[in-house]
Amino acid sequence: MHLRFTTAGESHGKALVVIVEGIPAGLPITSAAVDRDLGRRMQGYGRGARMKIEADRIEWLSGVRAGETLGSPIAMLIPNRDWANWQDVMAAEGTPGEPRRRRVTRPRPGHADLVGVLKYDRVDARDILERASARETTARVAAGAVARRLLDALGVEIGSHLVSLGGIRANAPSPLPTPLNDASDASPVRTLDGTAEAAIVARIDQAKKDGDTLGGEVEVVARGLPVGLGSHVSWDRKLDGRLAGMLMSIPAVKGVEIGLGFEAARRPGSLVHDPIVSASHHDHPRAVSDPRAGFRRLGNNAGGLEGGMTTGEPLVVRVAMKPIATLMSPLRTVNLATGGEASAQSERSDVTAVPAMGVIAEALVALVLADAMLEKFGGDALTETRRNLESYLAAAGRRWDAIRAQAADPEAD
Ligand code: EPS
């Protein structure tokens, strides 16, 4: 990995921390740019009361000086405002084994509670759920915001929109709006389909009344990527595998599709693969040279990846999330303290977090793509990374120009 990151922090602990290593020096960055994504992650119709308590903002601990990265590890701290209400429950000091307030002994089906207490030899499932909580994704979104800044400096835009929620599908215009997030963030469920939006909001209201929860799907799109990120040569360098692995690590995510995804398995090859044609340079005005090296595809069923490498077409990834495991009308479970039958714990939670999951998925896609950019182009300073990218694209463009010149030569075969 060329870009490494690690997070720490419990949901109701003092704070979350994240360290990101490998970002080149000289990348302009502000806390506002990171906080913007943290704020976007907190939005979405169907979130619970916790988001009214939190106001996620980072504090730089290291790696940034005078508005620019230093090339050293970037450490960020995000305080949990709810910590004030949980200090005694979550305090590091105390007597091991002594029961604490707000003990959790009725594991929720679908959550990490039961397997976690068995595996880690705990009596209180809070020891598990505090870290299994999706609160952790705040720290990953902060890391992803830094990766997004790097990609933005290299001409790549990442956005997402909601594809379905609670079984209601949303349509999206083709082509998608640019920038994508300006359009999707304007919707309370991050959909581009006003009719579906109203039906989805009503569905969430109904689920809330029923004490139930809802899952759904989002689509992440990255535009402006150069051809050739990732590699076909080894399994662990294939970009589709790296993306799917990373996205499957989001809590409650159960599926990832690239391009046509599962639908490709149901069609003949003639209706799946995207024919190749020559492209003109003005197709990509943001790039210094055509990121597709003079070629493009008629269609993008491949979702921007062939052979585990970017084609230069937009990267299109869909992510499916199951409904949250904390139900206000709880399911059947077993009480770990008594061994008797019980109803599962029903802590305060969200009816749905699918809109927020879209923001998290964008952050993780940004981290994988930034890693792939640094793998391909390296650079201790942003100027060097950019120079390497530009020289690669210019060389790829010259190669194609040479082929075309040769083809125009009547002497050539
Ligand atoms: C979560 C339960 C809720 C969510 C939380 C994830 O928190 P609480 O138990 O404090 O009400 O709000 O999500 C976040 C805190 C967040 O920032 O996304 C869970 O059990 O996973």
Side-chain angles (χ1 to χ4, degrees):
M1 265 193 139
H2 301 262
L3 185 67
R4 295 190 296 154
F5 70 96
T6 192
T7 73
E10 276 76 42
S11 181
H12 302 96
K14 192 168 185 180
L16 300 159
V17 246
V18 57
I19 299 178
V20 187
E21 193 176 354
I23 296 286
L27 175 71
I29 190 141
T30 60
S31 57
V34 181
D35 293 346
R36 191 178 314 126
D37 276 348
L38 296 187
R40 292 176 61 235
R41 197 202 68 93
M42 295 181 70
Q43 303 305 312
Y45 197 77
R47 293 283 254 159
R50 175 77 185 269
M51 288 304 105
K52 294 193 178 75
I53 299 173
E54 301 299 338
D56 293 336
R57 279 196 189 91
I58 60 139
E59 187 186 316
W60 299 116
L61 298 180
S62 73
V64 174
R65 181 163 179 251
E68 274 190 348
T69 56
L70 297 174
S72 56
I74 298 170
M76 292 173 274
L77 179 108
I78 304 141
N80 286 325
R81 288 173 62 156
D82 210 9
W83 158 248
N85 309 315
W86 289 78
Q87 285 195 46
D88 58 332
V89 178
M90 294 302 294
E93 294 76 24
T95 314
E98 201 167 85
R100 290 222 158 150
R101 263 197 335 112
R102 307 198 67 159
R103 195 149 61 112
V104 177
T105 53
R106 292 172 291 127
R108 291 159 292 176
H111 210 280
D113 301 348
L114 178 59
V115 182
V117 279
L118 297 175
K119 176 176 162 67
Y120 284 84
D121 193 17
R122 304 277 86 200
V123 290
D124 181 356
R126 181 160 301 287
D127 289 352
I128 306 304
L129 68 90
E130 283 289 334
R131 183 62 183 162
S133 165
R135 178 87 190 135
E136 184 271 343
T137 61
T138 313
R140 281 197 274 172
V141 168
V146 177
R148 188 199 292 274
R149 278 297 299 122
L150 175 66
L151 292 167
D152 183 50
L154 300 173
V156 180
E157 179 225 329
I158 300 182
S160 71
H161 64 101
L162 186 99
V163 171
S164 83
L165 203 157
I168 299 169
R169 293 202 70 79
N171 293 316
S174 176
L176 289 167
T178 314
L180 178 52
N181 283 340
D182 283 1
S184 49
D185 284 346
S187 158
V189 287
R190 308 197 68 251
T191 169
L192 306 174
D193 178 341
T195 312
E197 176 185 296
I200 288 168
V201 166
R203 182 77 193 85
I204 295 170
D205 289 341
Q206 186 59 48
K208 186 169 184 173
K209 269 194 210 122
D210 298 341
D212 217 333
T213 56
L214 299 171
E217 297 151 84
V218 302
E219 183 172 84
V220 182
V221 180
R223 291 180 278 206
L225 291 166
V227 63
L229 297 183
S231 175
H232 66 290
V233 301
S234 290
W235 66 270
D236 55 349
R237 292 182 58 197
K238 287 173 182 274
L239 202 57
D240 34 15
R242 288 153 71 179
L243 284 163
M246 183 67 93
L247 290 166
M248 288 291 286
S249 75
I250 302 173
V253 162
K254 286 295 175 191
V256 175
E257 289 186 313
I258 292 169
L260 208 50
F262 277 38
E263 174 59 22
R266 301 172 195 128
R267 295 191 188 179
S270 55
L271 297 180
V272 170
H273 304 296
D274 310 304
I276 300 167
V277 295
S278 297
S280 53
H281 283 238
H282 59 255
D283 280 355
H284 274 276
R286 283 185 80 191
V288 285
S289 179
D290 180 2
R292 300 174 299 189
F295 301 91
R296 71 187 173 87
R297 307 295 193 282
L298 295 177
N300 190 18
N301 286 341
L305 288 169
E306 284 176 341
M309 296 173 282
T310 51
T311 60
E313 300 292 335
L315 177 83
V316 182
V317 188
R318 274 183 307 282
V319 188
M321 183 186 196
K322 70 179 180 181
I324 283 170
T326 310
L327 271 60
M328 290 305 148
S329 303
L331 294 171
R332 211 174 124 177
T333 192
V334 171
N335 189 319
L336 297 175
T338 65
E341 279 189 20
S343 291
Q345 194 85 17
S346 57
E347 283 204 336
R348 166 189 73 186
S349 188
D350 309 318
V351 176
T352 187
V354 180
M357 188 272 282
V359 178
I360 299 161
E362 282 175 34
L364 298 193
V365 166
L367 284 159
V368 173
L369 293 178
D371 179 47
M373 280 278 201
L374 294 169
E375 174 188 28
K376 177 97 183 87
F377 303 111
D380 294 306
L382 177 63
T383 45
E384 189 182 3
T385 313
R386 208 182 252 144
R387 214 162 43 234
N388 294 344
L389 167 65
E390 286 171 9
S391 125
Y392 168 75
L393 290 174
R398 278 198 302 275
R399 180 181 185 278
W400 181 229
D401 289 345
I403 293 171
R404 277 196 275 219
Q406 202 181 11
D409 179 355
E411 299 289 301
D413 51 304

